Amino acid sequence: MPSPARLPRPSLGLRAVLAALLMAGALGGCGGSECTEIGCDSTLEVDYGSVVVNEPYLLTIDPDGDELTVTCLPDSPDAEPLPDWLECDADGFIVTGERADTTTSIRVTVVPIETEDAAINELVTLNVQEILEPNGPDCDPKCVVRRGVVP
């Protein structure tokens, strides 16, 4: 009976290279140039809770330390547009981008234009709901979704 053919044994240098390749594959993840470049934006969402404002109102907030007042639910097509980073409706508002990155609380004042009485004047605590890592845990960017409800 013929003896089975023997495969040549890899040299020590070749084994070291194979081991390094296997380790690199096993570690995977995002290292250096391996990161994709998918972007994301942090968001800050405030819910007015039991208060619903179904009429035009003034919203005053300070997401980055600078106070801003805008008109939400305007009844005129000529109303000043909201900043690109802000959306608001009868139930609350959303801030998107850099202003939402590190804000952990926000002063919120809601004044219906018709009554001129503050429906809301509260400091709202924002809790981290989600951390987005579109390129993996070891890659930038890292974006945060924060949510708060008016007490």
Side-chain angles (χ1 to χ4, degrees), residues 30-32 34-40 132-143:
C30 265
E34 305 233 354
C35 291
T36 56
E37 295 183 16
I38 300 169
C40 66
L132 306 172
E133 298 172 312
N135 301 308
D138 298 328
C139 298
D140 287 332
K142 290 181 185 3
C143 298

Side-chain angles (χ1 to χ4, degrees), residues 83-103:
D84 291 340
W85 49 267
L86 178 64
E87 296 174 36
C88 55
D89 62 21
D91 300 311
F93 64 90
I94 299 174
V95 172
T96 304
E98 291 178 9
R99 289 170 183 83
D101 282 339
T102 58
T103 302

Side-chain angles (χ1 to χ4, degrees), residues 12-29 34:
L12 197 52
L14 181 57
R15 280 189 275 183
V17 169
L18 288 173
L21 288 173
L22 287 173
M23 294 262 303
L27 293 175
E34 305 233 354

